[in-house]
Amino acid sequence: MSVPRPLPLDGDRTGPADSAEAGEPTLGLSDASPDEGFTVEDLMVEDKAVEQLAEGLLSHYLPDLQRSKQALQELTQNQVVLLDTLEQEISKFKECHSMLDINALFTEAKHYHAKLVNIRKEMLMLHEKTSRLKKRALKLQQKRQKEELEREQQREKEFEREKQLTAKPAKRT
């Protein structure tokens, strides 16, 4: 398929060397008179040339553009997948932090539980001590009361004995 050559825009005779040697004249813009203008055939040649050039340009760049478009679509899809994966990783990271917080709470709870156990032991020990002290105080109080009672009885006995020992005047008969 032969591609017609576009007309040169300058007035010089330009073109391939083989067409000049073959004796084919090339026309420039200056060769046509300004009154004549372009003919319908010239416009058709130019339309065909433009069409063929557009097809050639499209055939040259279209596969690359389509590959680029497909690559961009794949990248966009991969980006969505990567964003989902990133969100999952972020949620896992947050879970790890929450697990660390939970672990810290459990550690703190163990610490306070140990404190409570120690306080309970101390309270039980203090309760036992106070119970023993109360029993001892009760025994001491009972012992003092018994001693006071014995002293009182002893005084009464001494008082009775002194009474009996005191001389009684004899009765006249």
Side-chain angles (χ1 to χ4, degrees):
M1 172 179 187
S2 68
V3 177
R5 289 183 297 275
L7 296 174
L9 296 177
D10 57 359
D12 296 335
R13 299 185 106 197
T14 57
D18 60 315
S19 64
E21 289 174 5
E24 292 180 26
T26 57
L27 297 174
L29 287 178
S30 62
D31 291 340
S33 68
D35 296 332
E36 291 179 355
F38 290 106
T39 63
V40 173
E41 188 177 304
D42 290 339
L43 289 176
M44 292 186 83
V45 169
E46 285 184 23
D47 285 343
K48 286 181 184 177
V50 168
E51 202 174 301
Q52 288 176 349
L53 284 172
E55 284 179 20
L57 186 68
L58 285 175
S59 67
H60 182 71
Y61 288 109
L62 190 63
D64 289 337
L65 290 173
Q66 287 176 339
R67 280 193 298 269
S68 297
K69 181 180 178 182
Q70 187 177 5
L72 283 173
Q73 286 175 343
E74 287 179 21
L75 285 173
T76 304
Q77 290 172 351
N78 289 342
Q79 186 179 18
V80 170
V81 170
L82 287 174
L83 285 174
D84 289 342
T85 306
L86 182 64
E87 286 179 17
Q88 290 174 357
E89 291 298 320
I90 288 172
S91 65
K92 286 180 186 178
F93 187 69
K94 287 180 180 177
E95 284 179 22
C96 287
H97 275 297
S98 65
M99 290 299 286
L100 290 175
D101 292 342
I102 290 172
N103 287 337
L105 286 175
F106 276 117
T107 303
E108 192 174 350
K110 285 179 186 179
H111 174 71
Y112 285 118
H113 182 264
K115 276 187 169 183
L116 285 173
V117 167
N118 286 337
I119 290 171
R120 186 170 185 230
K121 284 179 186 178
E122 287 180 23
M123 288 179 70
L124 287 173
M125 186 177 67
L126 288 173
H127 178 70
E128 288 175 10
K129 281 184 178 181
T130 55
S131 296
R132 285 193 304 248
L133 286 174
K134 283 180 183 178
K135 286 180 185 177
R136 186 174 172 197
L138 184 62
K139 285 181 184 179
L140 285 173
Q141 187 180 9
Q142 288 174 351
K143 186 176 179 183
R144 283 186 185 154
Q145 286 176 351
K146 187 177 179 183
E147 286 176 358
E148 281 184 33
L149 184 63
E150 286 176 0
R151 277 191 223 130
E152 192 64 35
Q153 288 175 352
Q154 186 71 26
R155 276 191 226 137
E156 284 180 19
K157 281 183 185 178
E158 284 181 23
F159 184 69
E160 284 292 322
R161 192 170 157 204
E162 281 183 24
K163 238 184 180 180
Q164 288 176 358
L165 286 179
T166 45
K168 292 184 184 175
K171 294 187 181 176
R172 291 186 193 172
T173 25

